[in-house]
Amino acid sequence: MATARGWVGRLPPFPATSRRAPEAGAGAGSGGGRGAAGGSEMPVTVGPYGQSQPSCFDRVKMGFVMGFAVGMAAGALFGTFSCLRIGMRGRELMGGVGKTMMQSGGTFGTFMAIGMGIRC
């Protein structure tokens, strides 16, 4: 059983589980008032103006921002390694890494924006 130090090297005992009998009418396909087929769930509420899809311009903007973020992360990694490899230190290193991040972010963001524009 339990010692003063707690359950050492053993798991605590499992609680007693009981199996309930199926409810009346809860056969194989009826749902029984629960689950996806049951009728006791609340309906999904919709806003007063309905749900509108983002415009094409909004999708292009979102694609650019997402691409820019991914490009910045990739630029930080590749820029850091390339600048350290050629021997940059201090302020020069920060400038080189920042330049690479902006170039990578802009390039990848542009391509993602073009891709989202094609999908519109």
Side-chain angles (χ1 to χ4, degrees):
M1 298 295 165
T3 63
R5 293 173 45 200
W7 299 95
V8 180
R10 292 188 312 136
L11 293 174
F14 289 106
T17 58
S18 64
R19 292 195 175 254
R20 292 181 9 182
E23 296 175 8
S30 68
R34 293 181 301 207
S40 64
E41 295 164 354
M42 295 180 61
V44 177
T45 58
V46 181
Y49 304 109
Q51 292 182 345
S52 63
Q53 297 292 325
S55 67
C56 189
F57 182 69
D58 288 336
R59 289 182 183 191
V60 170
K61 275 195 314 187
M62 184 176 60
F64 180 79
V65 170
M66 287 171 38
F68 197 84
V70 172
M72 290 273 285
L77 292 173
F78 293 131
T80 301
F81 290 132
S82 66
C83 288
L84 287 175
R85 189 183 65 196
I86 62 174
M88 290 185 179
R89 296 289 184 261
R91 188 179 300 265
E92 189 181 27
L93 175 69
M94 288 292 114
V97 171
K99 180 181 172 188
T100 307
M101 288 173 69
M102 293 300 286
Q103 286 176 342
S104 302
T107 302
F108 200 79
T110 300
F111 283 114
M112 283 288 287
I114 291 170
M116 291 300 274
I118 290 172
R119 290 188 64 197
C120 281

Coordinates of all heavy atoms in Angstrom, one line a residue, residues 3-109:
T3 N 3.2 4.1 1.3 CA 4.1 4.4 2.4 C 4.2 5.8 2.7 O 3.4 6.6 2.1 CB 5.5 3.9 1.9 OG1 5.9 4.7 0.8 CG2 5.5 2.4 1.5
A4 N 5.0 6.2 3.6 CA 5.1 7.6 3.9 C 5.7 8.4 2.7 O 5.4 9.6 2.6 CB 6.1 7.8 5.1
R5 N 6.4 7.8 1.8 CA 7.0 8.5 0.7 C 6.0 8.5 -0.5 O 6.4 8.9 -1.6 CB 8.3 7.8 0.3 CG 9.3 8.0 1.4 CD 10.6 7.3 1.1 NE 11.1 7.4 -0.2 CZ 11.9 6.6 -0.8 NH1 12.4 5.5 -0.1 NH2 12.3 6.7 -2.0
G6 N 4.8 7.9 -0.4 CA 3.9 7.9 -1.5 C 4.0 6.6 -2.2 O 4.4 5.6 -1.7
W7 N 3.6 6.6 -3.5 CA 3.6 5.3 -4.3 C 4.9 5.2 -4.9 O 5.2 5.8 -6.0 CB 2.5 5.4 -5.4 CG 1.1 5.6 -4.8 CD1 0.4 6.7 -4.6 CD2 0.3 4.5 -4.4 NE1 -0.8 6.5 -4.1 CE2 -0.9 5.1 -3.9 CE3 0.4 3.1 -4.3 CZ2 -1.9 4.4 -3.4 CZ3 -0.6 2.4 -3.8 CH2 -1.8 3.0 -3.4
V8 N 5.8 4.4 -4.3 CA 7.1 4.3 -4.8 C 7.2 3.0 -5.7 O 7.0 1.9 -5.3 CB 8.1 4.1 -3.6 CG1 9.5 3.9 -4.1 CG2 8.0 5.3 -2.7
G9 N 7.5 3.3 -7.0 CA 7.7 2.2 -7.9 C 6.5 1.5 -8.3 O 6.5 0.5 -9.0
R10 N 5.3 2.0 -7.9 CA 4.0 1.3 -8.3 C 3.0 2.3 -8.8 O 3.1 3.5 -8.3 CB 3.4 0.5 -7.2 CG 4.2 -0.7 -6.8 CD 3.5 -1.6 -5.7 NE 3.0 -0.8 -4.6 CZ 1.7 -1.0 -4.2 NH1 1.0 -1.9 -4.7 NH2 1.3 -0.3 -3.2
L11 N 2.1 1.9 -9.6 CA 1.0 2.8 -10.0 C -0.1 2.7 -8.9 O -0.3 1.6 -8.3 CB 0.5 2.4 -11.3 CG 1.4 2.6 -12.5 CD1 0.8 2.1 -13.8 CD2 1.7 4.1 -12.7
P12 N -0.8 3.8 -8.7 CA -2.0 3.7 -7.8 C -3.0 2.7 -8.3 O -3.1 2.5 -9.6 CB -2.5 5.1 -7.7 CG -2.0 5.8 -8.9 CD -0.7 5.1 -9.3
P13 N -3.8 2.1 -7.5 CA -4.9 1.2 -8.0 C -5.9 2.0 -8.9 O -6.2 3.1 -8.7 CB -5.5 0.7 -6.7 CG -5.2 1.7 -5.7 CD -3.9 2.3 -6.0
F14 N -6.4 1.3 -9.9 CA -7.4 1.8 -10.8 C -8.7 1.9 -10.1 O -9.0 1.1 -9.3 CB -7.5 1.0 -12.1 CG -6.3 1.1 -12.9 CD1 -5.4 0.0 -13.0 CD2 -6.1 2.2 -13.7 CE1 -4.3 0.1 -13.8 CE2 -5.0 2.3 -14.5 CZ -4.1 1.2 -14.6
P15 N -9.5 3.0 -10.4 CA -10.8 3.1 -9.8 C -11.7 2.0 -10.4 O -11.5 1.5 -11.5 CB -11.3 4.5 -10.1 CG -10.5 4.8 -11.3 CD -9.2 4.1 -11.2
A16 N -12.7 1.6 -9.6 CA -13.6 0.6 -10.1 C -14.4 1.1 -11.2 O -15.0 2.2 -11.1 CB -14.5 0.1 -8.9
T17 N -14.5 0.4 -12.3 CA -15.3 0.9 -13.4 C -16.5 0.0 -13.5 O -16.5 -1.2 -13.2 CB -14.5 0.8 -14.7 OG1 -14.1 -0.6 -14.9 CG2 -13.3 1.6 -14.7
S18 N -17.6 0.6 -13.9 CA -18.8 -0.1 -14.1 C -19.3 0.1 -15.5 O -19.2 1.2 -16.1 CB -19.9 0.3 -13.1 OG -20.2 1.7 -13.4
R19 N -19.9 -0.9 -16.1 CA -20.4 -0.8 -17.5 C -21.9 -0.6 -17.3 O -22.6 -1.3 -16.7 CB -20.2 -2.0 -18.3 CG -18.7 -2.2 -18.6 CD -18.5 -3.2 -19.7 NE -17.2 -3.3 -20.0 CZ -16.7 -2.8 -21.2 NH1 -17.5 -2.2 -22.0 NH2 -15.4 -2.9 -21.5
R20 N -22.4 0.5 -18.0 CA -23.8 0.8 -18.0 C -24.5 0.0 -19.1 O -23.9 -0.2 -20.2 CB -24.1 2.2 -18.1 CG -23.6 3.0 -17.0 CD -23.8 4.5 -17.1 NE -24.7 4.9 -18.2 CZ -24.9 6.1 -18.5 NH1 -24.5 7.1 -17.8 NH2 -25.7 6.4 -19.6
A21 N -25.7 -0.4 -18.8 CA -26.5 -1.0 -19.9 C -26.9 0.0 -20.9 O -27.1 1.2 -20.5 CB -27.8 -1.7 -19.2
P22 N -27.0 -0.4 -22.1 CA -27.4 0.6 -23.2 C -28.8 1.1 -22.9 O -29.7 0.4 -22.4 CB -27.3 -0.1 -24.5 CG -27.1 -1.6 -24.1 CD -26.7 -1.7 -22.7
E23 N -29.0 2.4 -23.2 CA -30.3 3.0 -23.0 C -31.3 2.4 -24.0 O -31.0 1.9 -25.1 CB -30.2 4.5 -23.2 CG -29.3 5.1 -22.1 CD -29.1 6.6 -22.4 OE1 -29.8 7.2 -23.3 OE2 -28.3 7.2 -21.7
A24 N -32.6 2.6 -23.7 CA -33.6 2.1 -24.6 C -33.6 2.9 -25.9 O -33.5 4.1 -25.9 CB -35.0 2.2 -23.9
G25 N -33.6 2.2 -27.0 CA -33.5 2.8 -28.3 C -32.2 3.2 -28.7 O -32.0 3.9 -29.8
A26 N -31.1 2.9 -28.0 CA -29.8 3.3 -28.3 C -29.1 2.1 -29.0 O -28.1 1.6 -28.6 CB -29.0 3.7 -27.1
G27 N -29.7 1.7 -30.1 CA -29.2 0.6 -30.9 C -27.9 1.0 -31.7 O -27.3 2.0 -31.5
A28 N -27.6 0.1 -32.7 CA -26.4 0.3 -33.4 C -26.4 1.6 -34.2 O -25.3 2.2 -34.4 CB -26.2 -0.9 -34.3
G29 N -27.5 2.1 -34.7 CA -27.4 3.2 -35.6 C -28.3 4.4 -35.2 O -28.4 5.4 -35.9
S30 N -29.0 4.3 -34.0 CA -29.9 5.3 -33.7 C -29.3 6.5 -33.0 O -29.9 7.6 -32.9 CB -31.0 4.8 -32.8 OG -30.4 4.4 -31.5
G31 N -28.1 6.4 -32.4 CA -27.4 7.5 -31.8 C -27.8 7.7 -30.3 O -27.0 8.1 -29.6
G32 N -28.9 7.3 -29.9 CA -29.3 7.3 -28.5 C -29.3 8.7 -27.9 O -29.2 8.8 -26.7
G33 N -29.5 9.7 -28.6 CA -29.6 11.1 -28.0 C -28.2 11.6 -27.8 O -28.1 12.7 -27.3
R34 N -27.1 10.9 -28.1 CA -25.8 11.5 -27.9 C -25.0 11.3 -29.2 O -25.4 10.6 -30.1 CB -25.1 10.7 -26.8 CG -25.7 10.9 -25.5 CD -24.9 10.1 -24.5 NE -24.9 8.7 -24.9 CZ -24.8 7.7 -24.0 NH1 -24.7 7.9 -22.8 NH2 -24.8 6.5 -24.4
G35 N -23.9 12.1 -29.3 CA -23.1 11.9 -30.5 C -23.5 12.8 -31.6 O -24.4 13.6 -31.5
A36 N -22.9 12.5 -32.8 CA -23.2 13.4 -33.9 C -24.6 13.2 -34.5 O -25.2 14.1 -35.0 CB -22.1 13.1 -35.0
A37 N -25.1 12.0 -34.3 CA -26.5 11.7 -34.9 C -27.6 12.1 -33.9 O -28.7 12.1 -34.3 CB -26.6 10.2 -35.3
G38 N -27.2 12.4 -32.7 CA -28.3 12.7 -31.7 C -28.9 14.0 -31.9 O -28.3 14.9 -32.5
G39 N -30.1 14.2 -31.4 CA -30.8 15.5 -31.5 C -30.7 16.4 -30.3 O -31.4 17.4 -30.3
S40 N -29.9 16.0 -29.3 CA -29.9 16.9 -28.1 C -28.7 17.9 -28.2 O -28.5 18.5 -27.1 CB -29.7 16.0 -26.9 OG -28.4 15.3 -27.0
E41 N -28.1 18.1 -29.3 CA -27.0 19.0 -29.3 C -27.5 20.4 -29.7 O -28.5 20.5 -30.4 CB -26.0 18.6 -30.4 CG -25.3 17.3 -30.0 CD -24.6 16.6 -31.2 OE1 -24.8 17.1 -32.3 OE2 -24.0 15.6 -30.9
M42 N -26.8 21.4 -29.3 CA -27.2 22.8 -29.6 C -26.8 23.1 -31.0 O -25.7 22.7 -31.4 CB -26.6 23.7 -28.6 CG -27.1 23.5 -27.2 SD -26.3 24.7 -26.0 CE -26.8 26.2 -26.7
P43 N -27.6 23.9 -31.7 CA -27.2 24.3 -33.0 C -26.0 25.3 -33.0 O -25.8 26.0 -32.0 CB -28.5 25.0 -33.6 CG -29.2 25.4 -32.4 CD -28.9 24.4 -31.3
V44 N -25.3 25.4 -34.1 CA -24.2 26.3 -34.2 C -24.8 27.7 -34.4 O -25.6 27.9 -35.3 CB -23.3 25.9 -35.4 CG1 -22.1 26.9 -35.5 CG2 -22.7 24.5 -35.1
T45 N -24.3 28.6 -33.7 CA -24.8 30.0 -33.8 C -24.0 30.7 -34.9 O -22.9 30.5 -35.1 CB -24.7 30.8 -32.5 OG1 -23.3 30.8 -32.1 CG2 -25.5 30.2 -31.4
V46 N -24.7 31.6 -35.6 CA -24.1 32.4 -36.7 C -24.3 33.8 -36.3 O -25.3 34.2 -35.7 CB -24.8 32.0 -38.0 CG1 -24.2 32.9 -39.2 CG2 -24.7 30.6 -38.4
G47 N -23.3 34.6 -36.7 CA -23.4 36.1 -36.3 C -24.6 36.7 -37.0 O -25.3 36.1 -37.8
P48 N -24.9 38.0 -36.6 CA -26.0 38.7 -37.2 C -26.0 38.9 -38.7 O -27.0 39.0 -39.3 CB -26.0 40.0 -36.4 CG -24.6 40.2 -36.0 CD -24.1 38.8 -35.7
Y49 N -24.8 38.9 -39.3 CA -24.7 39.1 -40.7 C -24.3 37.9 -41.4 O -23.9 37.9 -42.6 CB -23.7 40.3 -41.0 CG -24.1 41.5 -40.3 CD1 -23.3 42.0 -39.3 CD2 -25.2 42.3 -40.7 CE1 -23.7 43.2 -38.6 CE2 -25.5 43.4 -40.1 CZ -24.8 43.9 -39.0 OH -25.1 45.0 -38.4
G50 N -24.3 36.7 -40.8 CA -23.8 35.5 -41.4 C -22.3 35.5 -41.4 O -21.6 36.4 -40.9
Q51 N -21.7 34.4 -41.9 CA -20.3 34.3 -42.0 C -19.9 34.6 -43.4 O -20.3 34.0 -44.3 CB -19.9 32.9 -41.6 CG -20.1 32.6 -40.1 CD -19.6 31.2 -39.7 OE1 -19.4 30.4 -40.6 NE2 -19.5 31.0 -38.4
S52 N -19.0 35.5 -43.5 CA -18.5 35.9 -44.9 C -17.1 35.4 -45.0 O -16.3 35.4 -44.1 CB -18.6 37.4 -45.1 OG -17.7 38.1 -44.1
Q53 N -16.8 35.1 -46.3 CA -15.4 34.6 -46.6 C -14.5 35.8 -46.7 O -15.0 36.9 -47.1 CB -15.4 33.8 -47.9 CG -16.2 32.5 -47.8 CD -15.6 31.5 -46.9 OE1 -14.4 31.4 -46.8 NE2 -16.4 30.8 -46.1
P54 N -13.2 35.7 -46.5 CA -12.3 36.9 -46.7 C -12.2 37.2 -48.2 O -12.3 36.3 -49.0 CB -11.0 36.4 -46.1 CG -11.1 34.9 -46.0 CD -12.5 34.6 -45.9
S55 N -12.0 38.4 -48.5 CA -12.0 38.8 -49.9 C -10.7 38.3 -50.5 O -9.8 37.9 -49.8 CB -12.0 40.4 -50.0 OG -10.9 40.9 -49.4
C56 N -10.6 38.4 -51.8 CA -9.3 38.0 -52.5 C -8.1 38.8 -52.0 O -7.1 38.2 -51.8 CB -9.5 38.1 -54.0 SG -8.2 37.3 -55.0
F57 N -8.3 40.1 -51.9 CA -7.2 40.9 -51.4 C -6.8 40.5 -50.0 O -5.6 40.5 -49.7 CB -7.6 42.4 -51.4 CG -6.5 43.3 -51.0 CD1 -5.4 43.5 -51.8 CD2 -6.6 44.0 -49.8 CE1 -4.3 44.3 -51.4 CE2 -5.5 44.8 -49.4 CZ -4.4 45.0 -50.2
D58 N -7.7 40.2 -49.1 CA -7.4 39.7 -47.8 C -6.6 38.4 -47.8 O -5.7 38.2 -47.1 CB -8.6 39.5 -46.9 CG -9.2 40.9 -46.5 OD1 -8.5 41.9 -46.5 OD2 -10.4 40.9 -46.3
R59 N -7.0 37.5 -48.7 CA -6.2 36.2 -48.9 C -4.8 36.5 -49.4 O -3.9 35.8 -48.9 CB -7.0 35.3 -49.8 CG -8.3 34.8 -49.2 CD -8.9 33.8 -50.2 NE -10.2 33.4 -49.6 CZ -10.9 32.4 -50.1 NH1 -10.5 31.8 -51.2 NH2 -12.0 32.0 -49.6
V60 N -4.7 37.4 -50.3 CA -3.3 37.7 -50.8 C -2.5 38.3 -49.7 O -1.3 38.0 -49.6 CB -3.4 38.6 -52.1 CG1 -2.1 39.1 -52.5 CG2 -4.1 37.9 -53.2
K61 N -3.1 39.2 -49.0 CA -2.3 39.8 -47.8 C -1.9 38.8 -46.8 O -0.8 38.8 -46.3 CB -3.2 40.8 -47.1 CG -3.2 42.2 -47.7 CD -3.8 43.3 -46.8 CE -5.1 42.8 -46.1 NZ -5.7 43.9 -45.4
M62 N -2.8 37.8 -46.5 CA -2.5 36.8 -45.5 C -1.4 35.9 -46.1 O -0.5 35.5 -45.3 CB -3.8 36.0 -45.3 CG -3.6 34.9 -44.2 SD -5.1 34.0 -43.8 CE -5.5 33.3 -45.3
G63 N -1.5 35.6 -47.4 CA -0.4 34.8 -48.0 C 0.9 35.5 -47.9 O 2.0 34.8 -47.6
F64 N 1.0 36.8 -48.2 CA 2.2 37.5 -48.1 C 2.8 37.5 -46.7 O 4.0 37.3 -46.5 CB 2.0 38.9 -48.6 CG 3.3 39.7 -48.5 CD1 4.3 39.6 -49.5 CD2 3.5 40.6 -47.5 CE1 5.5 40.3 -49.5 CE2 4.7 41.3 -47.4 CZ 5.7 41.2 -48.4
V65 N 1.9 37.8 -45.7 CA 2.4 37.8 -44.3 C 2.9 36.5 -43.8 O 3.9 36.4 -43.2 CB 1.2 38.4 -43.4 CG1 1.6 38.2 -41.9 CG2 0.9 39.8 -43.7
M66 N 2.2 35.4 -44.2 CA 2.6 34.1 -43.8 C 3.9 33.8 -44.5 O 4.9 33.2 -43.8 CB 1.6 33.0 -44.1 CG 0.4 33.1 -43.2 SD -1.0 32.1 -43.7 CE -0.3 30.6 -44.4
G67 N 4.1 34.1 -45.7 CA 5.3 33.8 -46.5 C 6.4 34.6 -45.9 O 7.6 34.2 -45.8
F68 N 6.1 35.9 -45.6 CA 7.2 36.8 -45.0 C 7.7 36.2 -43.7 O 8.9 36.2 -43.5 CB 6.6 38.2 -44.8 CG 7.7 39.2 -44.7 CD1 8.3 39.8 -45.8 CD2 8.0 39.6 -43.4 CE1 9.3 40.7 -45.6 CE2 9.0 40.6 -43.2 CZ 9.6 41.2 -44.4
A69 N 6.8 35.7 -42.9 CA 7.2 35.2 -41.6 C 8.1 33.9 -41.8 O 9.2 33.8 -41.1 CB 6.0 34.8 -40.7
V70 N 7.7 33.1 -42.7 CA 8.5 31.8 -42.9 C 9.8 32.2 -43.5 O 10.9 31.7 -43.2 CB 7.7 30.9 -43.8 CG1 8.6 29.7 -44.2 CG2 6.5 30.3 -43.1
G71 N 9.8 33.2 -44.5 CA 11.1 33.6 -45.1 C 12.0 34.3 -44.1 O 13.2 34.1 -44.2
M72 N 11.5 35.0 -43.1 CA 12.3 35.7 -42.1 C 13.0 34.6 -41.3 O 14.2 34.7 -40.9 CB 11.5 36.6 -41.2 CG 11.0 37.8 -41.9 SD 12.1 39.2 -41.9 CE 11.9 39.7 -40.2
A73 N 12.2 33.6 -40.9 CA 12.8 32.5 -40.1 C 13.9 31.8 -40.9 O 15.0 31.5 -40.3 CB 11.7 31.5 -39.7
A74 N 13.7 31.5 -42.1 CA 14.7 30.8 -42.9 C 15.9 31.7 -43.1 O 17.1 31.3 -43.1 CB 14.1 30.4 -44.3
G75 N 15.6 33.0 -43.4 CA 16.7 34.0 -43.5 C 17.6 34.1 -42.3 O 18.8 34.4 -42.4
A76 N 16.9 34.0 -41.1 CA 17.7 34.1 -39.9 C 18.7 33.0 -39.8 O 19.9 33.2 -39.4 CB 16.8 34.2 -38.7
L77 N 18.2 31.8 -40.1 CA 19.1 30.6 -40.0 C 20.2 30.7 -41.1 O 21.4 30.6 -40.7 CB 18.3 29.3 -40.2 CG 17.3 29.0 -39.1 CD1 16.5 27.8 -39.5 CD2 18.1 28.7 -37.8
F78 N 19.8 30.8 -42.3 CA 20.8 30.8 -43.4 C 21.7 32.0 -43.3 O 22.9 31.9 -43.6 CB 20.1 30.8 -44.8 CG 19.4 29.4 -45.0 CD1 18.1 29.4 -45.5 CD2 20.1 28.2 -44.8 CE1 17.5 28.2 -45.7 CE2 19.4 27.0 -45.0 CZ 18.1 27.0 -45.4
G79 N 21.2 33.2 -43.0 CA 22.0 34.4 -42.9 C 23.0 34.3 -41.8 O 24.1 34.7 -41.9
T80 N 22.6 33.8 -40.6 CA 23.5 33.6 -39.5 C 24.7 32.7 -39.9 O 25.9 33.1 -39.7 CB 22.8 33.1 -38.3 OG1 21.7 34.0 -37.9 CG2 23.7 32.9 -37.1
F81 N 24.4 31.6 -40.5 CA 25.5 30.7 -40.8 C 26.4 31.2 -41.9 O 27.6 31.1 -41.8 CB 24.9 29.3 -41.3 CG 24.3 28.5 -40.2 CD1 23.0 28.0 -40.3 CD2 24.9 28.3 -39.0 CE1 22.4 27.3 -39.3 CE2 24.3 27.6 -37.9 CZ 23.1 27.1 -38.1
S82 N 25.8 31.9 -42.9 CA 26.6 32.4 -44.0 C 27.5 33.6 -43.5 O 28.7 33.7 -43.9 CB 25.8 32.8 -45.2 OG 25.0 33.9 -44.8
C83 N 26.9 34.4 -42.6 CA 27.7 35.6 -42.1 C 28.8 35.1 -41.2 O 29.9 35.7 -41.2 CB 26.8 36.6 -41.4 SG 25.8 37.5 -42.6
L84 N 28.5 34.1 -40.3 CA 29.5 33.6 -39.4 C 30.6 32.9 -40.2 O 31.8 32.9 -39.9 CB 28.9 32.6 -38.4 CG 28.1 33.3 -37.3 CD1 27.5 32.2 -36.4 CD2 29.0 34.2 -36.5
R85 N 30.3 32.2 -41.3 CA 31.2 31.5 -42.1 C 32.3 32.4 -42.8 O 33.4 32.1 -42.9 CB 30.5 30.7 -43.2 CG 31.4 29.7 -43.9 CD 30.7 29.0 -45.0 NE 30.3 30.1 -46.0 CZ 29.4 29.9 -47.0 NH1 28.8 28.8 -47.1 NH2 29.2 30.9 -47.8
I86 N 31.8 33.6 -43.2 CA 32.8 34.5 -43.8 C 33.5 35.4 -42.8 O 34.3 36.3 -43.1 CB 32.1 35.4 -44.9 CG1 31.0 36.2 -44.3 CG2 31.6 34.5 -46.0 CD1 30.4 37.2 -45.4
G87 N 33.2 35.3 -41.5 CA 33.9 35.9 -40.4 C 33.3 37.2 -39.9 O 34.1 38.0 -39.3
M88 N 32.1 37.5 -40.1 CA 31.5 38.7 -39.6 C 31.3 38.6 -38.1 O 31.0 37.6 -37.6 CB 30.1 39.0 -40.3 CG 30.2 39.4 -41.7 SD 28.6 39.8 -42.3 CE 28.9 40.2 -44.0
R89 N 31.4 39.7 -37.4 CA 31.2 39.8 -36.0 C 30.5 41.1 -35.6 O 30.6 42.1 -36.4 CB 32.5 39.7 -35.2 CG 33.2 38.4 -35.3 CD 32.5 37.3 -34.6 NE 33.3 36.1 -34.7 CZ 33.0 35.1 -35.5 NH1 32.1 35.2 -36.4 NH2 33.8 34.0 -35.5
G90 N 29.8 41.1 -34.5 CA 29.2 42.4 -34.0 C 28.1 43.0 -34.8 O 27.2 42.4 -35.3
R91 N 28.3 44.3 -35.0 CA 27.4 45.1 -35.8 C 27.3 44.7 -37.2 O 26.2 44.7 -37.8 CB 27.7 46.6 -35.7 CG 26.7 47.6 -36.3 CD 27.2 49.0 -36.1 NE 27.4 49.4 -34.7 CZ 26.5 50.0 -34.0 NH1 25.3 50.3 -34.5 NH2 26.7 50.3 -32.8
E92 N 28.4 44.3 -37.8 CA 28.4 43.8 -39.2 C 27.6 42.5 -39.3 O 26.8 42.4 -40.3 CB 29.8 43.6 -39.6 CG 30.0 43.3 -41.1 CD 31.5 43.1 -41.4 OE1 32.3 42.6 -40.5 OE2 31.8 43.3 -42.6
L93 N 27.7 41.7 -38.3 CA 26.9 40.4 -38.3 C 25.4 40.7 -38.3 O 24.6 40.1 -39.0 CB 27.3 39.5 -37.1 CG 26.5 38.2 -36.9 CD1 26.8 37.3 -38.1 CD2 26.9 37.6 -35.6
M94 N 25.0 41.6 -37.4 CA 23.6 41.9 -37.2 C 23.1 42.5 -38.5 O 21.9 42.2 -39.0 CB 23.4 42.9 -36.1 CG 23.5 42.3 -34.7 SD 22.3 41.1 -34.4 CE 23.2 39.6 -34.3
G95 N 23.8 43.4 -39.2 CA 23.4 44.0 -40.4 C 23.3 43.0 -41.5 O 22.3 43.0 -42.3
G96 N 24.2 42.1 -41.6 CA 24.2 41.0 -42.6 C 23.0 40.1 -42.4 O 22.3 39.7 -43.4
V97 N 22.8 39.7 -41.2 CA 21.7 38.7 -40.9 C 20.4 39.4 -41.1 O 19.4 38.9 -41.7 CB 21.8 38.2 -39.4 CG1 20.5 37.5 -39.1 CG2 23.0 37.3 -39.3
G98 N 20.2 40.7 -40.7 CA 19.0 41.4 -41.0 C 18.7 41.6 -42.5 O 17.5 41.5 -42.9
K99 N 19.7 41.9 -43.2 CA 19.6 42.0 -44.7 C 19.1 40.7 -45.3 O 18.2 40.7 -46.1 CB 20.9 42.5 -45.3 CG 20.8 42.7 -46.8 CD 22.2 43.1 -47.3 CE 22.2 43.0 -48.8 NZ 23.5 43.2 -49.4
T100 N 19.7 39.6 -44.9 CA 19.3 38.3 -45.4 C 17.9 38.0 -45.0 O 17.1 37.4 -45.8 CB 20.3 37.2 -44.9 OG1 21.6 37.6 -45.2 CG2 20.0 35.9 -45.6
M101 N 17.5 38.3 -43.8 CA 16.2 38.0 -43.3 C 15.1 38.8 -44.2 O 14.1 38.3 -44.6 CB 16.0 38.4 -41.9 CG 16.7 37.4 -40.9 SD 16.7 38.0 -39.2 CE 14.9 37.8 -38.8
M102 N 15.4 40.1 -44.4 CA 14.5 40.9 -45.2 C 14.4 40.4 -46.6 O 13.3 40.4 -47.2 CB 14.9 42.4 -45.2 CG 14.8 43.0 -43.8 SD 13.1 43.0 -43.1 CE 12.3 44.2 -44.1
Q103 N 15.5 40.0 -47.2 CA 15.5 39.5 -48.6 C 14.7 38.2 -48.7 O 13.9 38.0 -49.6 CB 16.9 39.3 -49.1 CG 17.6 40.6 -49.4 CD 19.1 40.4 -49.8 OE1 19.6 39.3 -49.6 NE2 19.7 41.4 -50.5
S104 N 15.0 37.3 -47.8 CA 14.3 36.0 -47.8 C 12.8 36.2 -47.5 O 12.0 35.6 -48.2 CB 14.9 35.1 -46.7 OG 16.2 34.9 -46.9
G105 N 12.5 37.0 -46.5 CA 11.1 37.3 -46.2 C 10.3 37.9 -47.4 O 9.2 37.5 -47.7
G106 N 10.9 38.9 -48.0 CA 10.3 39.5 -49.2 C 10.1 38.6 -50.3 O 9.0 38.6 -51.0
T107 N 11.1 37.8 -50.6 CA 11.0 36.9 -51.7 C 9.9 35.8 -51.5 O 9.1 35.6 -52.3 CB 12.4 36.2 -52.0 OG1 13.3 37.2 -52.2 CG2 12.3 35.3 -53.2
F108 N 10.0 35.2 -50.4 CA 9.1 34.1 -50.1 C 7.7 34.6 -49.9 O 6.7 34.0 -50.3 CB 9.5 33.3 -48.8 CG 8.9 31.9 -48.8 CD1 9.4 30.9 -49.5 CD2 7.8 31.7 -48.0 CE1 8.8 29.6 -49.4 CE2 7.2 30.5 -47.9 CZ 7.7 29.4 -48.6
G109 N 7.5 35.8 -49.3 CA 6.2 36.4 -49.1 C 5.6 36.8 -50.5 O 4.4 36.6 -50.7

